Amino acid sequence: MKTIKVSVVTPDGPVYESDVEMVSTKAQSGELGILPGHIPMVAPLQIGAVRLKNGGKTDFVAVSGGFLEVRPEQVTILAQSAEQADEIDVERAVRAKQRAEQRLNEQKRENIDFRRAELALQRAINRIEVSERKF
Amino acid sequence: MASLRDIKNRITSTKKTSQITKAMQMVSAAKMNKAEMNARSFVPYMEKIQEVTASIALGSKDVSHPMLTSRPVKKTGYLVITSDRGLAGAYNSNVLRNVYQTIQKRHKSPDEYAIIAIGRVGRDFFRKRNMNVILDIVAVADQPAFAEIKDIASKTVGMFADETFDELYMYYSHYVSAIQQDVTEKKLLPLTDISSSKKLTSYEFEPSAEEILKVLLPQYAESLIYGALLDSKASEHAARMTAMQNATDNAKELINSLSLSYNRARQAAITQEITEIVGGAAALE
């Protein structure tokens, strides 16, 4: 089967590089699946998992926002932070989740910190779910 | 002439100092290598984001975004990157002198500018002179992760968006090589000089170019700040390494000249003693 080159890049260096058959992820406008030969496209991503299918195997990468650049022969995901499923520090994510929940209980809704805590909670939940491969 | 014991004390203390500077030199050399590697691993991200930003901003004419358009300047922001500690030769003073002179030249009152300081030396320098420091971050790690400065970077970009200032310059020390670092001034916002050496691709936008710019441009500006920080960290360690090497060399030279005068003084003391004994013996005859 045809494959497409995928790289996930963060400011701290490349996280994932490989040839896969299909990339599927959640863009801000909805679920998105990309096969080789896709037209050039750019889309912002949600906090979520990127699934990379190759043969019978699926790799998971947790991304925190960022965006996706597609070319016919290459997909690049630029995110401010991203981890492969087995590299996620689950303990840290659990702690971050508790912290965020605690902050959400203390803050008022319209507070700017509330929004930030919400995002932090989303990121933590995403990491935990990706590490458990719940998708 | 100083006594034998004085000279000996100075030799010992100089030796100890040179041991310390030698150790610091080696530590800085290791840190510099690491910082250089960090800066290198950031390059693919930067290149890619630059390419995409250029494709979108230059490729489609009808897109606009506040971060791309210049507006009348009422207040200018200066982002200054320095180190937390000294003992790095002229590393900090070069940057600070440059910023200070520029500000004195460009602005008449402190209302016309605002300073964002990364690093303790820079913060203290501007605070002491009662200059308008609106945001600062100290104790940035030697090998900073993006998460550490995400906060200050996004606040800085946010301040441009909510018109706290209307343009933003960045001052840092650019790493050329282990022995050369240049102070660099870079206009960060508005993003007017986006260019790409690669061929521009025309993209489909999902959902629209405006929506993407909204996500992309802040991320782009934040990564420029992070890139500058990595660059100046590499410079810092290089500058400190050179400074410490000079210190070690100077200490060696000092020890040599002190040993020389120690030996002279010792010889003089022996000669004097012999003269005294001979004199004493002659008096007995």
Side-chain angles (χ1 to χ4, degrees):
Chain A
M1 213 176 148
K2 266 174 100 181
T3 57
I4 187 165
K5 206 170 159 246
V6 180
S7 47
V8 180
V9 197
T10 69
D12 296 321
V15 172
Y16 183 92
E17 247 163 299
S18 175
D19 290 306
V20 301
E21 284 163 7
M22 178 174 156
V23 182
S24 63
T25 182
K26 223 186 223 169
Q28 278 180 2
S29 46
E31 196 76 28
L32 203 65
I34 291 144
L35 295 168
H38 201 284
I39 51 161
M41 181 188 78
V42 180
L45 296 180
Q46 286 183 25
I47 296 171
V50 180
R51 277 154 295 160
L52 304 136
K53 284 190 194 134
N54 199 4
K57 208 172 103 248
T58 308
D59 288 329
F60 288 88
V61 178
V63 295
S64 306
F67 58 94
L68 172 88
E69 188 224 9
V70 183
R71 289 166 182 242
E73 74 295 349
Q74 190 179 16
V75 174
T76 313
I77 293 169
L78 291 166
Q80 296 198 325
S81 73
E83 293 101 11
Q84 282 198 55
D86 23 316
E87 280 167 11
I88 291 173
D89 186 343
V90 184
E91 266 175 52
R92 191 177 148 212
V94 171
R95 278 203 306 274
K97 186 176 167 224
Q98 285 164 349
R99 243 191 346 260
E101 279 167 345
Q102 195 189 346
R103 232 170 263 160
L104 286 181
N105 289 332
E106 288 164 3
Q107 304 278 349
K108 292 217 167 54
R109 254 187 176 279
E110 54 275 16
N111 202 321
I112 193 162
D113 284 337
F114 187 84
R115 179 80 193 119
R116 274 166 61 187
E118 241 174 17
L119 285 174
L121 182 62
Q122 267 182 35
R123 282 197 296 269
I125 292 174
N126 176 42
R127 285 199 174 105
I128 295 167
E129 285 183 346
V130 169
S131 71
E132 291 166 352
R133 294 177 177 74
K134 266 197 190 162
F135 289 91
Chain B
M1 197 197 239
S3 79
L4 275 181
R5 190 203 297 228
D6 287 345
I7 300 178
K8 188 141 208 183
N9 280 345
R10 277 196 66 193
I11 292 178
T12 346
S13 81
T14 316
K15 259 191 193 145
K16 281 191 179 138
T17 313
S18 81
Q19 272 170 2
I20 296 171
T21 55
K22 180 94 194 179
M24 283 179 77
Q25 179 199 333
M26 287 194 285
V27 170
S28 295
K31 281 184 179 168
M32 186 189 78
N33 283 336
K34 195 88 191 296
E36 232 189 308
M37 260 162 54
N38 284 348
R40 253 205 297 281
S41 67
F42 174 68
V43 170
Y45 178 81
M46 196 64 235
E47 271 176 359
K48 202 73 212 175
I49 199 166
Q50 199 153 16
E51 196 186 317
V52 177
T53 314
S55 295
I56 299 174
L58 307 175
S60 32
K61 291 236 156 43
D62 50 341
V63 290
S64 69
H65 188 274
M67 279 168 74
L68 290 172
T69 41
S70 312
R71 53 183 186 234
V73 177
K74 290 197 276 304
K75 201 164 182 174
T76 311
Y78 292 91
L79 178 80
V80 185
I81 305 179
T82 56
S83 69
D84 276 342
R85 269 166 293 168
L87 291 183
Y91 169 76
N92 287 314
S93 51
N94 278 346
V95 175
L96 293 175
R97 190 186 328 117
N98 203 318
V99 182
Y100 189 69
Q101 283 171 357
T102 315
I103 289 179
Q104 297 295 332
K105 209 162 30 187
R106 281 192 201 154
H107 307 291
K108 284 185 201 73
S109 84
D111 304 327
E112 288 174 15
Y113 62 86
I115 293 166
I116 296 151
I118 299 184
R120 181 172 291 123
V121 175
R123 183 195 65 178
D124 294 349
F125 176 89
F126 292 117
R127 283 246 175 98
K128 211 195 253 163
R129 283 164 183 73
N130 286 324
M131 293 165 93
N132 189 6
V133 181
I134 47 170
L135 204 60
D136 65 82
I137 180 170
V138 296
V140 177
D142 281 324
Q143 324 294 343
F146 184 71
E148 272 181 79
I149 65 126
K150 166 112 186 44
D151 198 42
I152 190 162
S154 56
K155 265 189 203 151
T156 308
V157 175
M159 278 182 193
F160 176 80
D162 64 22
E163 305 196 3
T164 310
F165 42 73
D166 307 292
E167 56 177 358
L168 178 66
Y169 289 92
M170 192 157 66
Y171 283 83
Y172 63 99
S173 194
H174 172 58
Y175 177 82
V176 183
S177 71
I179 47 165
Q180 196 192 349
Q181 299 90 37
D182 295 338
V183 178
T184 310
E185 180 203 57
K186 194 166 178 181
K187 188 169 183 184
L188 188 64
L189 291 169
L191 295 159
T192 44
D193 57 343
I194 298 173
S195 61
S196 174
S197 48
K198 294 205 180 131
K199 210 176 138 275
L200 300 179
T201 324
S202 60
Y203 292 104
E204 285 286 303
F205 300 115
E206 180 66 39
S208 67
E210 272 84 15
E211 284 299 311
I212 288 165
L213 284 181
K214 223 188 264 171
V215 178
L216 180 61
L217 289 179
Q219 201 175 331
Y220 178 59
E222 284 166 24
S223 34
L224 282 175
I225 296 177
Y226 181 61
L229 182 70
L230 288 181
D231 202 354
S232 66
K233 277 285 172 194
S235 307
E236 179 192 335
H237 297 311
R240 183 164 294 131
M241 188 183 79
T242 321
M244 287 302 114
Q245 178 151 29
N246 287 339
T248 315
D249 291 349
N250 289 344
K252 245 185 227 149
E253 222 169 89
L254 189 60
I255 291 171
N256 278 342
S257 80
L258 282 174
S259 313
L260 196 65
S261 44
Y262 176 77
N263 287 338
R264 270 205 197 118
R266 193 177 55 116
Q267 194 59 54
I270 294 170
T271 314
Q272 197 185 355
E273 234 169 273
I274 293 175
T275 327
E276 275 163 14
I277 293 169
V278 172
L284 282 178
E285 273 170 20

